[in-house]
Amino acid sequence: MSEWMLLLMFIPTFFLISISPGLCMMLALSYGASLGVKRALWVIFGEVLGVSLIALTALLGYTRVLVEYPVFMQVFKYVGACYLLWMGISGWRDAKVNTATMQVDCRSAELILRGFSVAISNPKSWIFLMTLLPPFINPALPLGVQTLLFISMIALIECFNLLIYAYGGYKVNRLLLAQGRGEILGRISALMMISIAVFWLISS
C-alpha cells in the first residue's frame, strides 16, 4: 500500500460523514434560507474555522485532555446546549422577520462568531474528529505535512458541503415564500436546534 493511501482514503470517508445532516449543516441551511447564500458565507466561514481548529487540536493530541478529564467535555456539552437553545428560540421568534431586515441587522462579524461558536461548542465534533483522525496518520510520513493536508482537506470538504446545504435552504425558502409560507423552514430549523439542545441537556 502506498504511503499516501491512508490520506486518499480519508477524503471519501470524511466527505460522507460531513455531508450527513448535523448541527453545522442545519445552521448553514437555516442561514442560507433566511439571509441568502452570499450572507450565509460568513456563517460558513466561522463554522469551517471552528471545525478546522478542532481537527488541529485532535491531530496535535491535545484532545487527550478531554479523555483524561471528562468534566471538560461535560462543560462543552452544556455550554453548547444552552447556546443552541438560545439560538433555536431566537430563530423561532424571528421566523417571520423580513429577510431584508435580517440582512441589515446581522453584521459579518456576528455571523462568523455564530458559525464558529456552534462548531466549537458541538461535543459531537470533538468526539468524532478525535476518534476519526488518529487512525489515518501515517507515522512514516512527516507529521507537519500530514497535519497541513488533513486540515486543508477538512476545511475544503466541510465548506463544500455547507455550501450545498446553504444553497438548498435558499432554494427551498424561495419556493415556500412564493406559496406564502416563508416562515416554515425557519421554524423547522429552530425546532431542530431546540430538540438537539434538549437532548444534550438530558443525556448523560
Side-chain angles (χ1 to χ4, degrees):
M1 180 183 290
S2 170
E3 291 182 336
W4 296 99
M5 187 58 66
L6 280 176
L7 195 63
L8 295 175
M9 290 172 60
F10 175 78
I11 296 175
T13 302
F14 183 76
F15 176 83
L16 292 174
I17 296 174
S18 171
I19 202 170
S20 60
L23 182 54
C24 288
M25 296 300 158
M26 291 301 102
L27 191 70
L29 183 144
S30 176
Y31 276 95
S34 60
L35 301 182
V37 178
K38 186 177 180 179
R39 292 285 288 162
L41 286 174
W42 295 111
V43 179
I44 292 172
F45 179 65
E47 290 182 310
V48 171
L49 277 180
V51 172
S52 298
L53 179 60
I54 296 172
L56 178 61
T57 305
L59 286 168
L60 295 179
Y62 293 120
T63 48
R64 287 177 297 185
V65 175
L66 299 178
V67 177
E68 296 172 2
Y69 302 97
V71 65
F72 289 120
M73 181 60 74
Q74 292 298 315
V75 170
F76 268 114
K77 184 174 77 168
Y78 290 121
V79 170
C82 291
Y83 181 71
L84 191 59
L85 187 62
W86 173 78
M87 287 192 63
I89 294 172
S90 299
W92 180 272
R93 290 175 177 172
D94 296 339
K96 288 190 175 183
V97 174
N98 184 271
T99 302
T101 303
M102 291 184 68
Q103 289 179 349
V104 172
D105 291 344
C106 293
R107 292 172 298 196
S108 300
E110 181 183 351
L111 295 174
I112 293 173
L113 181 59
R114 288 188 182 184
F116 180 81
S117 300
V118 168
I120 207 73
S121 62
N122 185 355
K124 301 299 181 184
S125 296
W126 289 90
I127 295 172
F128 162 66
L129 286 173
M130 73 183 188
T131 54
L132 175 71
L133 286 173
F136 285 95
I137 297 294
N138 190 335
L141 298 173
L143 181 59
V145 174
Q146 290 186 84
T147 299
L148 180 61
L149 289 173
F150 274 118
I151 298 299
S152 300
M153 287 189 297
I154 287 171
L156 287 172
I157 294 171
E158 189 75 4
C159 183
F160 178 75
N161 290 335
L162 288 168
L163 281 170
I164 292 176
Y165 274 80
Y167 182 73
Y170 169 72
K171 297 298 287 186
V172 171
N173 193 55
R174 287 191 64 182
L175 179 62
L176 292 173
L177 281 172
Q179 300 175 359
R181 296 181 291 179
E183 77 281 359
I184 291 179
L185 188 59
R187 288 193 165 168
I188 290 175
S189 299
L191 280 175
M192 291 186 68
M193 291 182 189
I194 293 172
S195 299
I196 294 172
V198 171
F199 174 77
W200 285 355
L201 288 171
I202 65 176
S203 61
S204 57

